[in-house]
Structures are given as C-alpha cells and as structure tokens.
Amino acid sequence: MTESLARILGGFAAKVDPPEQVRADVPTRILDVLGNSLAAYAEKDADAAPAALAAMRRWAGVPEATVLGYRDRLPAPNAAFVNGVLAHSLDYDDTHLPSVLHPSASVVPAALAAAEAGAPGDLIAAIAAGIEVTNRLGMAGCDPDTGANLYFERGQHATSICGTIGAAVAVARLYDLDAQRIADTIGIAASMGAGVLEANRTGGSVKRAHCGWAAHGGVVAATLAAEGLTGPPTVLEGRFGFFTAHTGRFTPEAVTDGLGERWELLRTVFKPYPSNHFTHAGIDCALALRAAGLDPDDVESAELGVAEPVLRTIAEPAADKARPRTGYHAKFSGPYTLAVALTGGGGLGVGLDDFAELDPRRLELAAKVRMYADPAATAAFPRAFAGVLRVRTRSGAVLEHRVDSSRGGPGHPLSAAEVDRKFTGNAGRAMPVDAVAALSTAVRALASGGPVSAVFQA
C-alpha cells in the first residue's frame, strides 16, 4: 500500500456520496436503533441505562443533545454515551456478517448527538461511512481460512472496539473534516476503543455499556481531531497498532477492496429476536417444531447443534446457560432461548416480554437441552448462523428441524413490513401511537435534509 489504511479510510469518508440504495437504507437503521433504545428506556432496567444517565447527570455540562426517553439534554459525548447504552441494552441491534458485530448501536447515537449539537455535515452519508468503516474493520479481524473471529478469540468485543472508530468517522464527516483530519480521528479513536466479552458467558450488565462507550469515544475523538490533535498514520496496520493489539493478525484487503463500491452496510441484517444472534438458529428450529405440533410438555430431551465457535457464548459454562441468573443473562443461553421459543413468544416469534423474568417452566425445559458442535453449521459460520434441533418426546418419537441460515440472515431477510413492525412495537412501549408515527416521519425526512431536531421533538 502506498497510503496507510487510516488515510485510505479518511479519504473514503471525506468524499463518499453513498449510492441511492445505501441512502435509502440508512433511515431504516436509524429507526431500528431508536426503536430498540426506546424499548430499553421503557423496560426501566435496574442498572445499565439508569446508571449511565445518573453518572452523566453528575457531570452535567452544556445542554447540546437529547437523551432518548428521559429527555435530558447533555453535552454531545455524554448524550451519545447514554443513547449508545440504550441502543445495545436489549441485544436487539443489527448484525453484520461475517464480522459478527453490531455497527449501528455505536455509530447512530454518536452521529445524532453531534448533528443535534450543530455539526453541519450530511447526516446520512456520515452514518453510512461510519457503519461501513466499522464493518470493514470487523471483517479484517476474521481469519479468511477458518472464519474465526480473532477479536472474539482474545475475548474482545469487536462491536465496541471497531464501533468507536466507526462512530468517530461518522462524527468527523459531520464536522466536514478533510481526509487527513479524518485519518487523525481514526488514529485518536483507536486509543479509545475497548470491550471485554466475559459478561456474555457468566453475566453482569457491563456489556450493555459497550456501545455507549464507543459512541462517546467517537464524538470525543472527532472533536479532538477538529481541534488539532493528531494520530499516528499507521495506527491500524503498524507494529504497535490497532490490529496488533486486538487480533494479532489481519486481512488488509477486507478494509480496502471495493471500498465505496461494494457496501458491507447492505449486508448488515436486522434481528427478529431480542437475544444474542448466535441463539437465533435454535429459536428458528424450535419455532418450526412448535408450529408442527410439538407440545413442550412432551419433551423428554433435546439436542441443539450449532457452529462450534458459538458454543463458548451460548453453551458455556453449561451450568450457567442451563440456569441463567437474570432475564438479560438468559438472552445469551442457547438452552433457555430454545425453551422460550417452545413455550411462548411475542414480537416476531420471541419478544422482549419473554425475558422480563425467568420462568420456572422454561428453566426446567432448558435443563433438558444438550448443545454440541454441528459440522454443517460450523462450515456455514460466520457467513450464516445455522443449526439443527433434535427432540425426543416422552413417547420415544424423534423430531428434527434444521436451518441453514437464521431468520433475518443471508437468504432470509426480514421484510420491510417486519422491520417496521419491530420498530413500532419497540417504540410503542415508550410512546403513544401518534408519537411513534411522528418519529418515523421525522427520521424518513432526514434522507431529504430534514432537521435532526424533529427526531427528538416527536
């Protein structure tokens, strides 16, 4: 390469004019983030978002940007922090494959906060650029031979680590910084990204804050670059750079090939269920067997086969996954989410209310589930989340269902009507019907230059 990766990405972000398909997609991503955030606000979780807001209130500051639901006005980085926590709190945010990260929950809160605070740039182009950079940094950390996510192998959360840089790029574009200043922004943001994934395995709510920290860091990094702070030109590929620190090795072509022509943003899929995306293949299988007539009270035992790399997230430690500690912890349990799908389900098949509290019947059913690595699912990963479920009934019958790609994923995208139903259902938990409609209208108007202030007045 004749230019550093940061400079290549800076040049892309400074100049890109996204094609119409991308511009049309971005408002839907904003709505998905806002719906998820409002549903998290309505949930009144005991710690994550309220703790984030309480901390930001303690520091107060210039009232530049709005906190969703609560209506507090805070400095832009602090509003972005709370809104990022809300966006990721329900584990309902969109997912890019094969990087297996959630780009919008970091990028959108940062961009909206900066825009509301007066950043003058093209909001749709800024969000598109930020999501694209996030996805490509995630892809570069995937082993092209095995599909292994090298961030995850080290216990790192690519969503927040890459999302900090993507959020910073979006805000820098909103500030109308030139290519060099955006490269500096990347160099600064790379020192701010962080996220450890142990909460996926054994509990704790800190993971909900990861996208908030990324959004906050993005606003801060871009602001510092705008004020003259600089970053190392080889911050991504250098000997002591981003990829050395977080993955050990990387594929530079994943960052640069087709940049601005092939949009990874368009391969970012919407979640139908509010749980860790690795659980969705099992949910699909369970819903299919239930639709075929399986009575959960007839289940003697069950075996769920998934991709080998996802077992550490949704199957281990086995005792914790069979009996999760909280409703949030249950979202990362293959056995419990399978039990949810067999016994009830709201929303698009499994809904938010299914995780409001742990259900004794579902815990009993989850204890009957054994999880294992399925070769076909492993071969499909990370391009798709596949799985197979075998259930033995009390009568001795064996029922089986396999999915090659989970609902919402490659080959099975959610319809526009389903995405809209998800948004209205989520936002409607916090707002009356007319306000939900007004919010949708305000966000759709952003594509034609509508004011971001209207989004927070809905």
Side-chain angles (χ1 to χ4, degrees), residues 258-452:
L259 184 64
E261 299 173 0
R262 186 193 76 246
W263 282 81
E264 291 297 325
L265 175 148
L266 297 174
R267 292 172 55 186
T268 308
V269 303
F270 295 103
K271 279 187 176 183
Y273 316 124
S275 62
N276 180 270
H277 219 146
F278 295 158
T279 68
H280 286 205
I283 290 172
D284 288 341
C285 290
L287 289 174
L289 290 184
R290 181 183 173 196
L294 175 63
D295 182 343
D297 291 332
D298 287 338
V299 174
E300 180 70 27
S301 63
E303 295 180 326
L304 176 59
V306 294
E308 189 278 333
V310 315
L311 289 174
R312 72 195 74 180
T313 299
I314 65 171
E316 300 171 1
D320 288 342
K321 298 305 179 180
R323 195 168 187 86
R325 296 179 178 85
T326 65
Y328 178 70
H329 191 203
K331 292 171 178 260
F332 299 86
S333 164
Y336 192 87
T337 52
L338 188 154
V340 167
L342 286 177
T343 56
L348 297 178
V350 166
L352 291 168
D353 291 335
D354 293 310
F355 298 97
E357 58 184 22
L358 296 173
D359 181 90
R361 184 188 184 203
R362 290 170 177 169
L363 289 169
E364 181 180 352
L365 188 54
K368 300 178 180 180
V369 179
R370 181 183 75 86
M371 298 197 63
Y372 68 98
D374 174 70
T378 301
F381 185 84
R383 297 282 172 182
F385 302 143
V388 57
L389 174 63
R390 298 185 188 91
V391 174
R392 180 176 295 277
T393 68
R394 297 185 186 280
S395 67
V398 176
L399 308 176
E400 179 176 316
H401 188 83
R402 177 181 290 275
V403 297
D404 297 323
S405 178
S406 62
R407 182 183 178 199
H412 303 282
L414 296 184
S415 67
E418 288 173 321
V419 175
D420 184 66
R421 179 182 166 194
K422 175 186 173 182
F423 163 71
T424 56
N426 282 340
R429 298 171 79 90
M431 304 169 72
V433 173
D434 58 343
V436 173
L439 176 59
S440 179
T441 298
V443 170
R444 297 293 181 191
L446 294 173
S448 55
V452 72

Side-chain angles (χ1 to χ4, degrees), residues 44-420:
K44 295 294 191 296
D45 177 73
D47 49 22
L53 180 59
M56 296 304 107
R57 282 172 172 166
R58 287 179 63 177
W59 298 331
V62 180
E64 296 179 309
T66 305
V67 177
L68 286 164
Y70 297 96
R71 300 284 184 174
D72 286 64
R73 287 181 58 77
L74 301 170
N78 296 0
F81 175 73
V82 182
N83 288 337
V85 174
L86 287 166
H88 193 52
S89 277
L90 301 179
D91 223 78
Y92 215 175
D93 35 337
D94 60 10
T95 305
H96 174 259
L97 302 177
S99 64
V100 196
L101 52 67
H102 311 293
S104 299
S106 299
V107 173
V108 170
L112 290 179
E116 191 184 5
D122 181 340
L123 178 63
I124 300 301
I127 290 174
I131 290 175
E132 188 69 11
V133 168
T134 302
N135 290 349
R136 284 175 173 270
L137 292 176
M139 288 174 61
C142 294
D143 188 317
D145 297 321
T146 67
N149 186 300
L150 301 176
Y151 297 96
F152 291 168
E153 293 293 325
R154 294 181 171 210
Q156 305 273 8
H157 194 190
T159 291
S160 53
I161 294 167
C162 301
T164 302
I165 295 178
V169 165
V171 177
R173 171 62 189 258
L174 281 169
Y175 286 163
D176 287 329
L177 301 188
D178 62 19
Q180 181 55 53
R181 284 297 186 200
I182 298 181
D184 284 326
T185 298
I186 292 169
I188 297 165
S191 288
M192 298 181 174
V196 173
L197 275 173
E198 186 61 18
N200 275 7
R201 290 167 46 83
T202 57
S205 58
V206 66
K207 179 178 174 290
R208 297 184 177 196
H210 284 185
C211 289
W213 189 246
H216 178 278
V219 178
V220 170
T223 304
L224 289 172
E227 296 295 342
L229 195 68
T230 60
T234 54
V235 67
L236 296 176
E237 70 272 23
R239 173 64 182 85
F240 299 113
F242 177 88
F243 288 113
T244 297
H246 294 299
T247 64
R249 52 196 169 92
F250 73 107
T251 307
E253 295 79 14
V255 179
T256 59
D257 282 1
L259 184 64
E261 299 173 0
R262 186 193 76 246
W263 282 81
E264 291 297 325
L265 175 148
L266 297 174
R267 292 172 55 186
T268 308
V269 303
F270 295 103
K271 279 187 176 183
Y273 316 124
S275 62
N276 180 270
H277 219 146
F278 295 158
T279 68
H280 286 205
I283 290 172
D284 288 341
C285 290
L287 289 174
L289 290 184
R290 181 183 173 196
L294 175 63
D295 182 343
D297 291 332
D298 287 338
V299 174
E300 180 70 27
S301 63
E303 295 180 326
L304 176 59
V306 294
E308 189 278 333
V310 315
L311 289 174
R312 72 195 74 180
T313 299
I314 65 171
E316 300 171 1
D320 288 342
K321 298 305 179 180
R323 195 168 187 86
R325 296 179 178 85
T326 65
Y328 178 70
H329 191 203
K331 292 171 178 260
F332 299 86
S333 164
Y336 192 87
T337 52
L338 188 154
V340 167
L342 286 177
T343 56
L348 297 178
V350 166
L352 291 168
D353 291 335
D354 293 310
F355 298 97
E357 58 184 22
L358 296 173
D359 181 90
R361 184 188 184 203
R362 290 170 177 169
L363 289 169
E364 181 180 352
L365 188 54
K368 300 178 180 180
V369 179
R370 181 183 75 86
M371 298 197 63
Y372 68 98
D374 174 70
T378 301
F381 185 84
R383 297 282 172 182
F385 302 143
V388 57
L389 174 63
R390 298 185 188 91
V391 174
R392 180 176 295 277
T393 68
R394 297 185 186 280
S395 67
V398 176
L399 308 176
E400 179 176 316
H401 188 83
R402 177 181 290 275
V403 297
D404 297 323
S405 178
S406 62
R407 182 183 178 199
H412 303 282
L414 296 184
S415 67
E418 288 173 321
V419 175
D420 184 66

